[in-house]
Amino acid sequence: MGIATINPATGEVVKTFEALTDAELAEKVALAQETFEQYRETSFEQRSHWLHAAANILDAEKEAFGQVMTLEMGKPLKAAIAEVEKCAMVCRFYADHAAEFLKDVPGQTDASKSFVRYQPLGVVLAVMPWNFPFWQVFRFAAPALMAGNVGLLKHASNVPQSALAIEDILLQAGFPQGAFQTLLIGANKVAPLMEDPRIKAATLTGSEPAGASLAAAAGTQIKKVVLELGGSDPFIVMPSADLEAAVSTAVTARMINNGQSCIAAKRFIVADAIADEFEAKLLAKYKELKVGDPMLPDTDIGPLATPAILQDIVQQVEAIAQEGAKILIGGARPERPGNYYLPTIVTSIPDDSKLGKEEFFGPVALLFRVGDSDAAIRLANGTPFGLGSSAWTNDPAEQERFINEIEAGCVFINSMVKSDPRLPFGGIKRSGFGRELGIQGIQEFVNIKTVWVK
Ligand code: NAP
């Protein structure tokens, strides 16, 4: 299937879309470059006005936009609506702070005047995934547009209506035609696009192979990239933790977005002393989860986004069971059409498990037991990924150790990992490089120009 909306709850092909021809694609790139020449001259005040208007449109039509996302990728509608609200928040954040984040910084030198000036790079290509169809795009678009760049969006092929809706929101908000365009193209067009000298940089959120492919193409062209890739985030629980809070949060942190979040907690690493109690409480909460139609208000878990994601999860759970792990609950598909998979807990994972180091992109929790914090840190760091991490302990010395020793882009103590416009977001190791959000996010796609005046 090419570019299409396919309802993951039913398998119904709702709408198909023609990919852009090469000539249409060339026109859009030309328009982007042309627009940039004018757009770069607009003031922060003007851009801020447009971005506030976009935030207002998002708020006003959050139910409708939420329904588009749920239809296309199956997240519960209440979560989709909350995602639209968060997009409005990131728009307002950068609309209000970009001028301050990008103002000239005086240098401490012996020149009569020296300073750093931040200037836009030009056309930036964003390759985005389907799991947060609005949020992933707005967290790129808001800072990029405020910095004076223009954007081209290659969204995932299964969320074309979300992609087109975002372009429309920004146009309606007043941004010039060409400041932000959606390209309905397949992944095979991305590497050739990077050869176009008008495209100055790119950002990709998605899988490791996609990130590696984009980075290779950008590398040969000497272009800047930001990569936000996969994760297998640890969620560590030590004996001093508030166990009730840890268990409730564990369920939310694993099940968010039907388990398909890069920063979902995926490996639960629990101290032996409390492991039986944690496991029993987690199991009880899993039994309460309601799997069903994502459009219904009381649904906790909807379908996985595509048959391919479902197939990956089915195979991974089979493979880890073959390694000797035990399936405590779930481990199967429910009797219904669509890409559903039951909430699953895997325990007794062998020490040398290969699957135990992989990312499970669905509602599957891997539960590990450890003797002490040394073992917890070793296990937490024992994957190729380094995106997020959450550690639950009320012992200040242990908190400090987790903050210092966990190899990840963030450490959340007694809380689940979340992205927040006010703080940078990104990973290390095979989770990628560069940062989105915060002041760091808006400074990724700018020329940091040094000025010296004698
Ligand atoms: P994916 O296959 O990599 O798709 C993501 C985007 O990349 C889509 O637009 C896709 O287009 C495009 N793409 C695929 N192959 C490409 C290639 N060779 N060159 C250029 N573009 C390519 O990822 P996914 O499987 O849909 O998403 C799940 C993964 O994304 C997970 O690993 C998850 O952890 C990660 N993720 C990370 C973050 C983060 O912030 N770190 C956030 C969300 C998701 P098509 O749809 O046309 O193939």
Side-chain angles (χ1 to χ4, degrees), residues 126-130 136-137 140 153-156 159 203-205 436:
V127 182
M128 291 291 147
W130 45 264
Q136 299 287 357
V137 177
F140 155 72
L153 168 66
K154 183 270 175 273
H155 216 324
V159 291
T203 179
L204 180 141
T205 297
E436 296 189 277

Side-chain angles (χ1 to χ4, degrees), residues 331-379:
R333 302 180 54 185
E335 293 285 325
R336 58 184 300 154
N339 312 323
Y340 286 90
Y341 195 78
L342 290 173
T344 299
I345 301 174
V346 181
T347 60
S348 308
I349 300 158
D351 289 345
D352 59 351
S353 167
K354 188 171 145 290
L355 269 295
K357 296 180 170 52
E358 284 188 5
E359 177 181 38
F360 281 64
F361 218 55
V364 179
L366 307 185
L367 190 52
F368 299 86
R369 294 171 180 238
V370 287
D372 55 22
S373 48
D374 285 335
I377 291 168
R378 252 195 325 274
L379 193 55

Side-chain angles (χ1 to χ4, degrees), residues 246-265:
V247 174
S248 307
T249 310
V251 178
T252 312
R254 174 60 283 200
M255 292 303 163
I256 188 163
N257 218 30
N258 305 336
Q260 305 158 115
S261 168
C262 52
I263 49 167

Side-chain angles (χ1 to χ4, degrees), residues 201-415:
T203 179
L204 180 141
T205 297
S207 60
E208 284 178 76
S213 162
L214 178 81
T220 55
Q221 301 300 321
I222 328 279
K223 289 181 184 174
K224 170 87 183 262
V225 277
V226 167
L227 299 180
E228 301 286 6
L229 309 179
S232 186
D233 286 9
F235 185 106
I236 299 169
V237 189
M238 300 309 290
S240 65
D242 173 343
L243 201 59
E244 286 301 329
V247 174
S248 307
T249 310
V251 178
T252 312
R254 174 60 283 200
M255 292 303 163
I256 188 163
N257 218 30
N258 305 336
Q260 305 158 115
S261 168
C262 52
I263 49 167
K266 292 175 184 138
R267 295 175 300 132
F268 296 85
I269 299 171
V270 185
D272 279 332
I274 49 158
D276 284 342
E277 204 183 340
F278 181 89
E279 185 179 303
K281 286 180 190 291
L282 188 69
L283 181 61
K285 291 219 179 279
Y286 258 58
K287 288 181 177 160
E288 289 167 13
L289 291 170
K290 192 158 176 348
V291 176
D293 179 349
M295 290 288 181
L296 297 178
D298 60 342
T299 294
D300 298 309
I301 317 279
L304 296 171
T306 64
I309 299 280
L310 172 64
Q311 196 187 347
D312 283 351
I313 277 289
V314 168
Q315 283 172 354
Q316 283 178 304
V317 174
E318 273 172 21
I320 202 164
Q322 267 167 20
E323 285 182 336
K326 186 176 151 208
I327 311 299
L328 190 64
I329 185 173
R333 302 180 54 185
E335 293 285 325
R336 58 184 300 154
N339 312 323
Y340 286 90
Y341 195 78
L342 290 173
T344 299
I345 301 174
V346 181
T347 60
S348 308
I349 300 158
D351 289 345
D352 59 351
S353 167
K354 188 171 145 290
L355 269 295
K357 296 180 170 52
E358 284 188 5
E359 177 181 38
F360 281 64
F361 218 55
V364 179
L366 307 185
L367 190 52
F368 299 86
R369 294 171 180 238
V370 287
D372 55 22
S373 48
D374 285 335
I377 291 168
R378 252 195 325 274
L379 193 55
N381 290 341
T383 74
F385 300 108
L387 192 53
S389 62
S390 171
W392 292 71
T393 169
N394 283 313
D395 174 338
E398 232 169 37
Q399 291 182 353
E400 197 54 30
R401 281 202 64 196
F402 290 136
I403 292 167
N404 278 323
E405 295 179 38
I406 293 179
E407 297 165 355
C410 63
V411 179
F412 280 61
I413 301 290
N414 297 332
S415 174

